[in-house]
Amino acid sequence: MSRTKALEKVKLTSFDDLFGGREAENAAEAGDVKEIPLSELHEFHNHPFQIRSDEELAEMIESVREHGVLIPGIVRKRKEGGYEIISGHTRKHVCEVLGLETMPVFVKEMDNDEASVVMVDSNIQREDILPSEKAWAYRMKMEALSHQGVKGEDYTADLVGETAGDCARTVQRYIRLTYLKTELLDYADQGRIILAVAEKLSFLNEEEQGWVLQVISQNITAPSKSQAEELKEESRKGDLTEKRV
């Protein structure tokens, strides 16, 4: 069966579920499709999204096994040679699992900021995103939009969260998580620390966050929101005292 006929048999909504809601729109603007060897496709720098072995991945593997990669990835040329994947990291992984040698992609010229925005928007609507993934993705997109000249933190944050339907305040709370020690961020991913608490803890300095980690490891419980507020306030008072001295 040809790829065109296979495409006609699969509902577009299934592609949205497997590859991301804006993928077709982004791809349509990217140009002609090229088959690129997997060895020439490299990960996006600091790509925050993980590939997890779950039911969604299994469905994607079966889809590609039967029909091939129906929604091409999006890449840009690298100065070092080869191509940087902007959208399509999971598809490349699936191709590797199935022993394929090439993957269809759109090659598009983008600067770093444009590529960051497309990369985030192509992945942010996934249902299984971890807090850490969303945090770093939002920070990357916020920095990219700021570099492009978007003014006003709240306005920029609104633009950052627009694709996923998050307001500026939610975006800002997620970005705060990038200031947590790795171990605390892992607890947020595991659900041991809720977002509101994690945000408060992010205002503690590295040493103070280390104390929190010791308490959690000893008591096997994370601090409550009110306790996190108290820690944040104590840290703020400590900073003021140091400045007065």
Side-chain angles (χ1 to χ4, degrees):
M1 181 184 295
S2 69
R3 180 172 296 177
T4 301
K5 290 183 178 179
L7 180 57
E8 292 173 352
K9 287 193 173 187
V10 183
K11 293 181 180 179
L12 183 58
T13 51
S14 69
F15 297 145
D16 290 344
D17 293 338
L18 291 175
F19 302 120
R22 298 187 62 186
E23 188 72 13
E25 179 184 344
N26 289 333
E29 299 174 353
D32 296 330
V33 178
K34 295 184 179 181
E35 288 283 344
I36 303 294
L38 299 184
S39 60
E40 295 185 24
L41 299 178
H42 304 273
E43 285 196 3
F44 193 91
H45 180 61
N46 289 333
H47 187 269
F49 300 98
Q50 302 175 23
I51 297 174
R52 286 182 284 282
S53 298
D54 54 17
E55 183 178 348
E56 184 176 351
L57 180 64
E59 290 176 359
M60 188 184 293
I61 290 173
E62 288 309 307
S63 175
V64 174
R65 190 197 309 276
E66 184 176 356
H67 306 294
V69 177
L70 297 172
I71 303 296
I74 300 175
V75 303
R76 64 173 180 166
K77 290 184 178 180
R78 301 195 320 160
K79 294 180 180 179
E80 309 90 331
Y83 301 84
E84 182 180 45
I85 301 173
I86 297 171
S87 176
H89 294 80
T90 304
R91 270 159 287 176
K92 181 194 175 187
H93 174 72
V94 168
C95 289
E96 291 172 335
V97 169
L98 294 173
L100 303 179
E101 296 183 356
T102 65
M103 187 177 92
V105 299
F106 293 102
V107 180
K108 188 171 176 63
E109 292 185 10
M110 295 186 192
D111 61 28
N112 291 338
D113 294 329
E114 291 170 335
S116 293
V117 171
V118 173
M119 183 276 296
V120 171
D121 284 351
S122 296
N123 288 276
I124 202 66
Q125 295 185 61
R126 286 161 40 183
E127 294 181 0
D128 60 345
I129 294 178
L130 296 172
S132 62
E133 293 175 313
K134 204 168 197 178
W136 283 107
Y138 277 166
R139 181 167 172 177
M140 288 179 71
K141 187 174 178 181
M142 174 75 86
E143 292 173 351
L145 291 177
S146 297
H147 293 160
Q148 291 177 336
V150 178
K151 301 296 184 181
E153 183 177 347
D154 287 342
Y155 176 65
T156 306
D158 269 328
L159 292 180
V160 169
E162 185 177 31
T163 303
D166 284 335
C167 67
R169 180 69 186 101
T170 299
V171 169
Q172 291 161 346
R173 292 176 73 181
Y174 272 106
I175 290 177
R176 281 303 316 174
L177 302 191
T178 64
Y179 297 92
L180 287 172
K181 289 176 70 70
T182 302
E183 297 88 345
L184 288 175
L185 190 52
D186 288 342
Y187 284 143
D189 282 344
Q190 296 163 14
R192 293 183 63 183
I193 300 178
I194 63 174
L195 178 59
V197 171
E199 179 194 10
K200 302 302 180 186
L201 295 178
S202 72
F203 289 95
L204 303 179
N205 63 38
E206 188 171 352
E207 182 180 13
E208 291 163 341
Q209 289 187 34
W211 297 340
V212 173
L213 279 170
Q214 290 181 16
V215 171
I216 294 175
S217 63
Q218 292 170 3
N219 299 331
I220 319 179
T221 56
S224 66
K225 184 177 179 180
S226 60
Q227 290 172 325
E229 272 286 4
E230 291 175 7
L231 289 169
K232 175 185 172 183
E233 183 62 21
E234 289 176 8
S235 176
R236 187 187 69 82
K237 289 178 179 178
D239 289 342
L240 289 175
T241 300
E242 289 180 3
K243 289 177 181 178
R244 287 169 183 162
V245 172

